[in-house]
Amino acid sequence: MTIEVVLLGTGNPLPDRDRAGAATLVRAGGLTLLVDAGRAVCMRLAAAGVLPFMLDAVLVTHLHSDHICDLNDVVTTHWVMNPTPKTLRVFGPPRTAEVMAGMRAMLQPDVEYRIAHHEDLTWEPSTEIVEVATGTILEENGVRVAVAGTDHRPAEPTIAFRIEHEGAAVVLAGDTVPCPGLDELCRDADIYVQTVLRDDLVNLVPMQRFRDTIDYHSTVVQAAQTAARGGVRTLVLTHQIPTPAAGSADEWIAIAREHFTGEIVFGEDLASISA
Ligand SMILES: [Zn+2]
Ligand SMILES: [Zn+2]
C-alpha cells in the first residue's frame, strides 16, 4: 500500500445522523493530508486515528460551506493541542485567504481566552494559506500533489487534487461536472473519488432549490464515464445526493456499472481504500 484514502464524511449538505460532511483523509509517504473539512470532520479524524495537530496540510476543493464548515475546528484543535508552535498549511482556490481571514476573526475571543488561561500557550494559531489553480503544489516525502481546475459554476474557481506516491495515484474531486481539468487529473489513476448526484431521484423532488443542484454536480453516470475515459482502476462514489436510502448501494453501483468496468466503491463514512 502506497496511498491510503479514508472517507471521513460522505454526506451532502443536508444533516444526517450517519454521514458526516465532505472530508477525506489521505496518507502517503508519512504525510497526513485532509481534503475538505465538512461537518464533524474532527470526530471522523479521531475515528481514523488522526488528531488535527498530526495533519501536514489541508487541501480545499472549493469554498461551499458543506466542504469547509468545520475547518475552524481543525484550526483551533491543531493550535491548542500542539505543545509547540506549528503552522497549518491550507491549500485552496482563490478566495481561500478571504475565508480564512473571516474564520480567524470569528475565533479571536477564543484565542484570547485560551492564551490568557494557559501560561505555556503564548502563540496564536498559525496558518499558511496558499491559493492554487493548476500544476504541482506540493512535493514532499516522495509525495506529489497536483491541482487542476474543475467546473462547479457559479462556485468558481474550484479545483481537484491528484496525489501521487511510489507510482500510485489518487484523485480527489470535489463538486464538479465533467471537464477537461478533471480528465487530465484522472488519467490512469488508481483511485478516483467523486461527489455524485442521482438526477433520476433529484428530479422527482418537487422543490426547485433542490433540483437546482443537478446542473453543477457529476451524476453517477457522468462520474462513471469520467472514470472510464481516464482508465481509472477504482471509482469511489461519495457525497451522494440525495441521501441514499438504506440498502440502496447496489442500485447506485449498478448505474455506474453500465459505464465503467473497474472497481466501484459506494462510499460510507470511514471506509478505507488503498492504492
Ligand atoms: Zn458539496
Ligand atoms: Zn459545492
Side-chain angles (χ1 to χ4, degrees):
M1 180 188 81
T2 62
I3 307 181
E4 183 191 14
V5 174
V6 181
L7 305 179
L8 297 175
T10 61
N12 61 48
L14 295 183
D16 185 88
R17 53 168 283 163
D18 297 319
R19 290 175 185 270
T24 308
L25 179 71
V26 179
R27 286 188 268 221
L31 292 186
T32 304
L33 306 171
L34 173 65
V35 183
D36 288 341
R39 184 180 295 131
V41 63
C42 288
M43 286 176 65
R44 290 292 191 260
L45 275 172
V50 175
L51 292 168
F53 73 87
M54 297 155 69
L55 293 173
D56 292 293
V58 180
L59 314 178
V60 176
T61 61
H62 66 300
L63 301 170
H64 261 151
S65 57
D66 58 312
H67 294 251
I68 57 164
C69 67
D70 271 7
L71 187 49
N72 71 91
D73 197 12
V74 174
V75 169
T76 298
T77 314
H78 178 271
W79 163 60
V80 88
M81 290 186 72
N82 255 313
T84 55
K86 189 181 169 195
T87 297
L88 178 65
R89 289 180 293 179
V90 179
F91 297 87
R95 298 193 69 183
T96 299
E98 174 190 340
V99 168
M100 293 296 291
M103 177 191 305
R104 179 62 187 81
M106 177 192 90
L107 293 172
Q108 185 56 25
D110 179 80
V111 169
E112 290 175 14
Y113 301 152
R114 292 185 194 282
I115 289 177
H117 188 207
H118 303 293
E119 202 170 306
D120 70 331
L121 184 60
T122 57
W123 59 90
E124 298 193 348
S126 171
T127 52
E128 178 191 342
I129 297 143
V130 186
E131 294 187 346
V132 294
T134 183
T136 298
I137 59 163
L138 185 68
E139 276 188 295
E140 251 172 60
N141 293 22
V143 177
R144 175 176 173 268
V145 181
V147 162
T150 54
D151 185 353
H152 187 43
R153 288 172 288 171
E156 70 173 325
T158 56
I159 53 178
F161 299 94
R162 177 181 173 112
I163 300 174
E164 299 176 346
H165 177 58
E166 290 182 350
V170 168
V171 175
L172 295 306
D175 301 340
T176 180
V177 293
C179 60
L182 185 59
D183 279 348
E184 176 194 322
L185 291 184
C186 280
R187 199 167 301 131
D188 299 323
D190 295 281
I191 300 171
Y192 160 44
V193 182
Q194 178 62 62
T195 70
V196 291
L197 173 146
R198 289 256 312 260
D199 53 341
D200 59 321
L201 297 179
V202 175
N203 265 322
L204 300 174
V205 180
M207 190 190 297
Q208 186 55 43
R209 193 179 298 178
F210 193 47
R211 289 198 298 259
D212 285 344
T213 62
I214 294 173
D215 68 6
Y216 70 173
H217 286 96
S218 282
T219 62
V220 173
V221 169
Q222 288 172 326
Q225 290 169 336
T226 297
R229 266 197 310 280
V232 164
R233 189 166 61 81
T234 301
L235 166 65
V236 180
L237 309 175
T238 189
H239 181 290
Q240 301 96 343
I241 305 171
T243 302
S248 68
D250 288 348
E251 205 179 282
W252 291 67
I253 290 171
I255 292 169
R257 174 60 67 214
E258 288 179 27
H259 303 270
F260 177 63
T261 56
E263 186 185 358
I264 302 168
V265 174
F266 179 78
E268 305 276 7
D269 282 26
L270 295 173
S272 168
I273 310 112
S274 296

